[in-house]
């Protein structure tokens, strides 16, 4: 599966999920949700680290 933008990704995922049995499709969806959740968390943490005004002081670590 290769996707270069969000629309292509959605089409590719739809195609892949349509070929799977319901249990496997749900399992893949759960894995993807977990990955996207982790990516969102990492992005939020990076934003905090990149912004000196919100960066925790060394004493807080």
């Amino acid at each position: 599966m290769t996707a270069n933008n969000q629309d292509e990704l959605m089409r590719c995922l739809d195609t892949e999920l349509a070929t799977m049995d319901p249990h496997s499709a749900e399992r893949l969806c759960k894995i993807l949700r977990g990955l996207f959740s982790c990516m969102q968390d990492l992005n939020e943490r990076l934003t905090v680290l990149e912004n000196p005004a919100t960066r925790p002081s060394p004493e807080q670590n």
Side-chain angles (χ1 to χ4, degrees), residues 15-51:
T15 301
E16 289 293 321
L17 291 172
T19 64
M20 297 177 155
D21 65 88
H23 176 73
S24 296
E26 182 60 28
R27 186 170 176 216
L28 177 58
C29 286
K30 287 180 180 180
I31 291 168
L32 292 173
R33 284 185 198 107
L35 288 172
F36 287 126
S37 177
C38 288
M39 289 172 54
Q40 181 179 0
D41 181 58
L42 286 172
N43 193 33
E44 290 169 2
R45 290 173 186 246
L46 283 172
T47 299
V48 169
L49 291 174
E50 291 172 343
N51 184 349

Side-chain angles (χ1 to χ4, degrees), residues 8 45 61:
E8 287 182 32
R45 290 173 186 246
N61 291 335

